[in-house]
């Protein structure tokens, strides 16, 4: 679209007014500065060594690194490590927590730490325990750990559970689920339950597989990308390189996001020096819907496709089922309902439909802005419906592409760490174990919290992550974890959960080696379905008492299960684990020989370049997506007097620039002009009528609690919406979940914002 047409459709770029602190491009020179500061500092040599080590990047699911060298992507392209990778490595290279540290600092002192302070304590380097009634963590021996674990896991199977986070390896993930299932439990809660579970649930129903159907190679062939609810400039920086190249080659990029994220407008990438100062153009069209209204927006796009004669009806007839009802829904939903629900004008929607409908190969990508809603699965359906209505699934350069979270979160799902185990894997595991798996439905993360809150969980093993910090309603999370007798945290770095998510009897922290330190090879799976091999490495922590995750899990399993039904000690050899994976996980056959071949590979049966899908009929199933009814609460709904001047907003909670999930690396968010964590970014059009001003301190009240002394920051978010950071914000709202997937609505949290002096 030329500039003139753009201005015609969006007379004023809608909600683009930022504050004085916001830079004019994302990325840019400060990225180089960060690289320079870190790589030239005293940690520089070790940082370079790690960057060049043959291992997959720790940070995001884009999955850079591995055997082709630390800087190379699966297409063999160089210079593909971003500063987020440096940030993650740098955090792991910190010195060990001193042996006397916990003698000097009580748990009540540690509970006062912020996320950043907890992370900066250093690396976990020896096992510790906090016993009921004690005020300090104390060191404990491996013998005692295994003795406690043995008792703890000899409980009714339904009362034992695990939670995991997607940074560990495929091998550790596979062993975790094999062990928990061999013990008779299906309680395998995982961080993906809080993340892309709606994508997994929706895509499985539609296409029979639940991951991205687009390879990196195919993304490069697209002539249009729709990127909805994803702040990739922060969270998947190398995807930005692809977008820059696509734009340079004439492709169109449509961004769908209530917040005008500066990096999605213009991005300066070190991989394209010419872009660094001015920034390369990213969005061709930027739509800013009301949070939670994406179904309405995509239904509008579908309606316009029909009206503009751009519907691929032949494709629908040949390759899909259930399409008639979806087309009818789009046709019969009135425009005024669509535009009122999503807050985007008909002209903008029509412009988006024209671009999508006249492009040859469209990739539809999305992340948390789509999934973390009470109708997250419908959001996914409506995007995939749009892809199918334009024939953009099952061909080169096109398809649906959920942009995943943690660097190995997708591998955890593939390895069977899920409460929705695929039938083929279930059968293969039953054959391996020589007995049927339990039929009792396992707990996903929210079910786990509810079950623990009701006193139904005795033992919990957390393989990484921060169960306490990642969940809504921190008070409930704390109480729930506090009802569990034994919690074993397996971790590299301390976080809020280790000090606030304390068990009733014994809280144990097991210090582990990370991906680039293991004495054995491990694998991971990227969001693009590419399996990476990471080589053996060593740790900088010289006198530390660390263990590998694989050794820890197999030792526990051996203590409890012995040789039943597999020789758990033999599984300490990750090569043997890989052979079991090859035998039991469809598409993973090549992992059985990866030690010899070193061949990293794309998982079979995932990438679709022909419109024959993995459903029984080979056709994609389409589902009608009801439009959400979005309302905002009144002050009295939160117990705030009706007369209190203020404003109700739909709060989008998420990540600042310098954090990795619950772990904060730096307090400010430079690109949104938010100087610290206790800020609310909102539109001045909301603030002023409510009598609020920029930099004023306000109270933000949710249905579970409030945060006080929050600084108002004006930003380019549409009116009615606001942005705050997790994990801090998780204290203020209860879990309202998407029932089909169990994922909480982190992106449309109803809050009431009022000036401190007017508080009741
Ligand atoms: N550096 C870094 N990288 C990371 C992570 C990290 O914390 N730090 N986390 C990893 C993980 S686990 C994940 S899941 C991903 C997260 O990656 P993202 O999903 O990009 O992260 P969020 O901060 O949750 O941002 C979501 C975006 O959705 C928008 N949004 C909110 N509500 C809506 C809505 O209703 N509709 C639409 N269309 N958009 C909406 C927000 O404005 C925001 O721009 O990143 C992964 N990579
Ligand atoms: N309000 C709000 N809440 C959210 C979200 C949101 O957008 N808004 N997003 C949700 C999403 S998408 C996700 S994925 C979850 C994230 O939830 P989690 O995955 O549970 O949390 P993380 O903060 O990623 O966990 C970080 C910790 O993992 C440990 N760790 C790091 N590397 C390793 C390793 O190699 N091995 C082991 N064993 N441990 C390791 C370290 O102790 C580190 O402190 O949060 C969710 N919560
Ligand atoms: S894009 Fe993701 S995987 Fe690639 S280097 Fe950056 S953080 Fe690592
Ligand atoms: Mo995530």
């Amino acid at each position: 679209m030329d500039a003139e047409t753009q201005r015609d459709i969006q007379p004023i770029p809608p909600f683009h007014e930022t504050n004085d602190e916001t830079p004019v491009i994302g990325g840019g020179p400060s990225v180089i500065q960060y690289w320079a500061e870190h790589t030239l500092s005293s940690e520089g040599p070790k940082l370079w060594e790690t960057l060049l080590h043959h291992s997959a990047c720790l940070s995001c699911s884009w999955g850079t690194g591995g055997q082709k060298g630390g800087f190379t992507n699966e297409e063999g392209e160089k210079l593909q490590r971003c500063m987020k990778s440096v940030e993650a490595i740098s955090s792991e290279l910190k010195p060990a927590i001193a042996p006397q540290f916990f003698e000097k600092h009580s748990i009540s002192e540690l509970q006062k730490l912020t996320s950043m302070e907890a992370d900066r304590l250093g690396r976990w380097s020896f096992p510790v325990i906090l016993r009921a009634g004690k005020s300090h963590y104390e060191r404990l021996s491996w013998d005692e750990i295994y003795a406690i674990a043995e008792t703890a896991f000899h409980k009714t199977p339904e009362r034992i559970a695990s939670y995991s986070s997607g940074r560990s390896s495929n091998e550790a993930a596979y062993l975790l689920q094999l062990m928990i299932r061999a013990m008779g439990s299906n309680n395998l809660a995982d961080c993906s339950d809080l993340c892309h579970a709606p994508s997994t649930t929706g895509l499985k129903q539609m296409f029979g597989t639940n991951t991205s159907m687009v390879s990196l190679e195919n993304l490069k062939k697209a002539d249009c990308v729709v990127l909805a609810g994803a702040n990739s400039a922060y969270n998947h920086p190398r995807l930005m390189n692809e977008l820059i190249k696509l734009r340079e080659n004439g492709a169109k990029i449509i961004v769908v996001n209530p917040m005008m994220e500066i990096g999605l407008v213009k991005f300066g990438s070190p991989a394209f020096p010419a872009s660094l100062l001015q920034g390369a153009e990213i969005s061709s069209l930027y739509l800013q819907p009301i949070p939670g209204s994406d179904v309405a927006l995509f239904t509008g796009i579908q309606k316009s496709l029909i009206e503009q004669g751009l519907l691929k009806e032949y494709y629908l007839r040949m390759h899909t089922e259930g399409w008639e009802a979806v087309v009818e829904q789009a046709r019969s939903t009135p425009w005024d309902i669509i535009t009122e629900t999503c807050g985007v004008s008909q002209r903008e929607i029509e412009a988006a439909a024209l671009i999508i409908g006249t492009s040859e190969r469209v990739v539809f990508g999305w992340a948390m802005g789509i999934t973390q809603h009470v109708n997250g699965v419908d959001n996914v359906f409506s995007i995939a419906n749009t892809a199918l209505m334009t024939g953009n699934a099952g061909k080169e350069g096109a398809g649906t592409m959920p942009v995943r979270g943690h660097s190995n979160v997708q591998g955890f799902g593939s390895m069977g760490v899920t409460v929705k185990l695929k039938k083929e894997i279930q059968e293969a595991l039953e054959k391996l174990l020589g007995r049927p798996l339990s039929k009792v439905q396992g707990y996903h993360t929210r079910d786990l919290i509810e079950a623990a809150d009701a006193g139904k969980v005795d033992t919990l093993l957390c393989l990484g992550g921060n169960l306490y910090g990642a969940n809504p309603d921190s008070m409930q999370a704390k109480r729930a974890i506090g009802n569990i007798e034994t919690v074993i945290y397996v971790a590299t770095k301390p976080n809020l959960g280790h000090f606030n998510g304390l068990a009733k009897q014994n809280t144990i922290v097991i210090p582990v080696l990370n991906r680039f330190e293991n004495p054995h090879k491990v694998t991971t799976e990227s969001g693009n379905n590419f399996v990476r091999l990471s080589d053996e490495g060593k740790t900088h922590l010289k006198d530390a008492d660390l263990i590998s995750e694989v050794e820890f899990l197999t030792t526990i399993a051996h203590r409890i299960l012995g040789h039943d039904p597999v020789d758990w000690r033999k599984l300490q050899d990750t090569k043997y684990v890989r052979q079991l994976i090859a035998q039991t996980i469809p598409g993973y056959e090549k992992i059985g020989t990866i030690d010899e071949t070193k061949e990293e590979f794309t998982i079979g049966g995932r990438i679709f370049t022909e419109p024959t899908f993995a459903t029984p009929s080979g056709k994609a199933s389409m589902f009608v997506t009801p439009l959400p009814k979005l309302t905002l609460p009144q002050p009295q709904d939160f117990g705030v007097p009706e007369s209190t001047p203020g404003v109700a907003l739909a709060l989008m909670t998420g990540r600042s620039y310098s954090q990795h999930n619950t772990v904060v690396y730096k307090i400010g968010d430079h690109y949104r002009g938010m100087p610290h964590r206790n800020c609310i970014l909102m539109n001045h059009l909301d603030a002023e009528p409510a009598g609020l001003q920029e930099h004023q301190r306000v109270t933000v009240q949710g249905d579970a609690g409030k945060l006080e002394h929050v600084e108002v920051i004006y930003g380019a978010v549409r009116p009615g919406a606001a942005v705050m950071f997790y994990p801090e914000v998780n204290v203020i709202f209860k879990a309202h979940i998407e029932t089909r997937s169990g994922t909480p609505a982190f992106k449309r949290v109803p809050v009431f914002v009022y000036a401190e002096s007017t508080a009741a």
Side-chain angles (χ1 to χ4, degrees):
M1 197 181 327
D2 59 50
E4 209 164 302
T5 331
Q6 168 109 30
R7 265 197 304 278
D8 188 33
I9 294 159
Q10 296 187 321
I12 336 159
F15 309 112
H16 72 301
E17 286 177 56
T18 56
N19 52 58
D20 297 341
E21 310 301 322
T22 315
V24 291
I25 62 168
S30 59
V31 174
I32 302 277
Q33 193 186 336
Y34 181 95
W35 269 92
E37 276 168 16
H38 282 258
T39 52
L40 302 175
S41 73
S42 58
E43 68 173 1
K46 184 66 193 161
L47 211 96
W48 277 111
E49 195 185 310
T50 312
L51 279 165
L52 295 166
H53 181 252
H54 284 185
S55 55
C57 171
L58 299 175
S59 187
C60 89
S61 61
W62 205 246
T64 314
Q67 290 302 291
K68 289 182 177 170
F71 283 86
T72 317
N73 68 16
E74 55 254 51
E75 292 295 292
E77 292 164 314
K78 306 283 178 204
L79 267 181
Q80 296 293 324
R81 275 281 176 117
C82 74
M83 64 74 79
K84 295 288 151 196
S85 185
V86 177
E87 208 170 52
I89 294 170
S90 164
S91 160
E92 293 288 319
L93 291 180
K94 292 288 174 281
I97 300 177
Q100 303 76 24
F101 179 82
F102 293 104
E103 290 162 27
K104 294 191 196 133
H105 300 279
S106 70
I107 191 71
S108 52
E109 265 178 77
L110 297 171
Q111 285 175 340
K112 296 197 185 89
L113 298 179
T114 63
S115 164
M116 191 173 80
E117 288 163 345
D119 186 68
R120 290 195 178 176
L121 293 178
R123 276 283 295 272
W124 283 114
S125 48
F126 49 90
V128 293
I129 184 167
L130 183 72
R131 300 175 207 267
K134 290 290 172 71
S135 57
H136 290 70
Y137 263 118
E138 52 192 279
R139 191 165 183 159
L140 90 166
S141 70
W142 291 99
D143 278 348
E144 201 184 346
I145 293 167
Y146 293 123
I148 293 175
E150 208 173 324
T151 316
F153 283 106
H154 269 129
K155 300 275 175 173
T156 316
E158 290 77 48
R159 297 180 67 86
I160 63 179
S162 67
Y163 170 74
S164 44
S165 167
R167 247 214 210 164
S168 307
S169 61
N170 282 335
E171 288 74 6
Y174 187 81
L175 290 168
L176 175 73
Q177 63 87 32
L178 196 65
M179 175 177 97
I180 296 287
R181 294 191 198 282
M183 289 175 184
S185 171
N186 287 321
N187 296 332
L188 287 149
D190 185 71
C191 69
S192 58
D193 303 331
L194 306 174
C195 180
H196 262 296
S199 308
T200 310
T201 307
L203 293 175
K204 174 85 183 161
Q205 284 187 57
M206 292 187 84
F207 300 110
T209 58
N210 48 28
T211 62
S212 171
M213 63 168 79
V214 182
S215 62
L216 181 56
E217 185 190 353
N218 269 310
L219 173 63
K220 290 175 185 295
K221 296 179 186 159
D223 62 356
C224 172
V225 174
V226 178
L227 189 67
N231 185 13
S232 308
Y234 283 26
N235 300 314
H236 302 88
R238 293 303 71 147
L239 169 56
M240 301 309 293
N241 282 357
E242 302 306 328
L243 300 181
I244 292 174
K245 276 183 277 183
L246 286 170
R247 268 307 299 267
E248 276 177 357
N249 294 336
K252 302 277 193 317
I253 292 167
I254 302 177
V255 175
V256 181
N257 197 316
M259 168 85 201
M260 190 166 281
E261 305 284 11
I262 192 66
L264 302 181
V265 179
K266 277 186 171 196
F267 191 79
S269 166
F272 300 93
S275 76
L276 255 182
L277 289 178
Q278 304 292 319
E281 301 264 344
I282 303 296
S283 59
S284 321
L285 183 67
Y286 205 119
L287 305 179
Q288 288 179 274
I290 291 167
S293 73
D294 294 79
V295 161
L297 175 66
F298 280 94
T299 304
I301 292 176
Q302 294 160 13
K303 186 177 181 71
S304 176
L305 285 166
I306 300 168
E307 290 179 355
Q308 298 188 59
L310 296 168
L311 189 74
K312 295 263 165 58
E313 201 171 313
Y314 179 73
Y315 176 97
L316 292 176
R317 282 181 197 286
M318 294 299 290
H319 306 299
T320 71
E321 282 165 352
W323 62 274
E324 297 89 341
V326 176
V327 170
E328 182 47 36
Q329 186 213 7
R331 206 191 302 271
S332 61
T333 309
W335 271 114
D336 54 348
I337 305 241
I338 290 171
T339 53
E340 267 166 41
T341 309
C342 71
V344 179
S345 72
Q346 188 174 335
R347 296 212 61 187
E348 289 172 285
I349 296 176
E350 284 167 347
L354 184 64
I355 296 174
I356 295 169
T358 53
S359 295
E360 293 287 316
R361 296 169 302 279
V362 188
V363 167
F364 292 80
W366 68 89
M368 296 304 100
I370 291 302
T371 61
Q372 294 175 332
H373 288 287
V374 285
N375 65 341
V377 173
D378 284 340
N379 278 340
V380 172
F381 282 158
S382 72
I383 294 177
N385 283 342
T386 312
L388 289 165
M389 287 160 95
T390 48
N392 278 303
K395 73 175 177 195
E396 287 200 341
T400 45
M401 182 182 75
V403 184
R404 300 270 164 179
H406 278 289
S407 53
N408 194 36
V409 64
Q410 197 169 297
F412 268 74
S414 296
M415 294 301 112
V417 180
T418 166
V419 294
K420 289 184 180 161
L421 192 63
K422 283 190 186 135
K423 199 152 187 339
E424 308 91 282
I425 303 182
Q426 181 202 324
E427 286 167 1
L429 291 176
E430 288 180 342
K431 203 164 145 208
L432 176 73
L433 295 175
R435 58 172 184 251
L437 299 183
S438 162
K439 299 272 180 296
V440 180
Q441 176 59 45
Y443 297 141
H444 58 50
T445 303
R446 285 308 309 166
D447 284 348
L448 170 66
I449 293 288
E450 298 297 343
D453 207 8
K456 293 182 188 162
V457 181
D458 292 330
T459 305
L460 174 68
L461 175 74
C462 291
L463 187 63
N466 179 357
L467 180 64
Y468 161 79
N471 269 281
D473 198 350
S474 313
M475 281 284 284
Q476 185 206 21
K478 187 176 194 138
R479 186 176 68 223
I481 299 170
N483 279 338
I484 304 173
E485 266 176 37
T486 310
V487 176
I488 302 177
Y489 289 114
V490 178
T492 57
K493 297 286 310 271
N495 63 45
L496 295 176
H498 304 143
F499 306 136
N500 295 284
L502 301 175
K504 196 190 239 168
Q505 286 301 327
N506 292 316
T507 311
I508 294 175
V509 185
I510 304 294
V512 286
L513 296 159
N514 66 34
R515 186 175 303 158
F516 56 78
E517 297 171 334
N518 282 308
H520 43 247
K521 290 184 168 41
V522 290
T523 61
T524 48
E525 171 184 331
S526 80
N528 304 326
N529 301 297
F530 193 71
V531 176
R532 294 249 175 224
L533 180 64
S534 295
D535 278 351
E536 299 85 348
K538 44 183 195 304
T539 176
H540 65 291
L541 303 168
K542 290 296 167 246
D543 303 314
D545 193 8
L546 302 177
I547 190 167
S548 80
E549 294 172 324
V550 165
E551 186 183 347
F552 181 66
L553 292 171
T554 46
T555 309
I556 292 199
H558 181 255
R559 288 282 287 243
I560 294 155
L561 302 159
H563 292 272
D564 176 38
V566 284
D567 182 345
W568 291 95
R569 263 196 306 215
K570 194 170 162 204
L571 285 166
Q572 290 195 352
D573 178 357
T574 56
K575 198 171 157 184
Y576 180 44
V577 183
R578 284 187 281 279
Q579 277 158 15
L580 292 192
I581 296 172
Q583 271 173 41
T584 49
I585 307 295
Y588 256 86
E589 294 76 14
K590 281 189 174 173
I591 207 174
T593 49
I594 199 169
D595 291 80
E596 291 76 39
T597 61
K598 305 268 186 300
E599 188 197 337
E600 301 183 317
F601 61 92
T602 298
I603 300 154
R606 302 265 183 97
I607 307 297
F608 291 103
T609 49
E610 296 295 328
T612 306
F613 302 101
T615 52
S617 64
K619 292 184 172 186
S621 299
M622 291 173 71
F623 297 91
V624 169
T625 53
L627 262 56
K629 290 200 173 37
L630 303 173
T631 54
L632 282 171
Q634 299 300 311
Q636 60 272 29
D637 296 335
F638 299 124
V640 178
E642 206 176 336
S643 55
T644 312
V647 56
L649 297 172
L651 183 66
M652 307 186 284
T653 71
R655 294 148 179 83
S656 72
Y657 182 61
S658 289
Q659 76 178 76
H660 193 96
N661 297 338
T662 70
V663 180
V664 175
Y665 297 131
K666 225 168 121 186
I667 59 167
D669 186 342
H670 173 60
Y671 296 101
R672 291 182 182 130
M674 295 165 86
H676 55 86
R677 311 257 333 147
N678 202 26
C679 293
I680 182 165
L681 183 140
M682 59 198 280
N683 193 301
H684 71 102
L685 296 173
D686 282 321
E688 282 149 18
L692 305 175
Q693 291 168 0
E694 191 165 30
H695 306 303
Q696 183 172 347
R697 298 289 176 154
V698 293
T699 300
V700 181
Q701 175 79 53
D703 62 0
K706 61 185 172 190
L707 279 170
E708 292 178 321
H709 215 53
V710 180
E711 183 174 352
V712 171
I713 299 291
Y714 289 167
V717 70
R718 66 161 298 126
V723 173
M724 283 180 83
F725 301 138
Y726 100 99
E728 295 88 338
V729 74
N730 281 345
V731 300
I732 73 168
F733 60 99
K734 296 202 170 116
H736 298 278
I737 68 163
E738 145 51 72
T739 50
R740 293 160 285 188
S741 58
T743 302
F746 290 121
K747 293 294 188 276
R748 194 188 155 84
V749 176
V751 293
F752 188 67
V753 182
Y754 55 95
E756 297 210 314
S757 54
T758 58

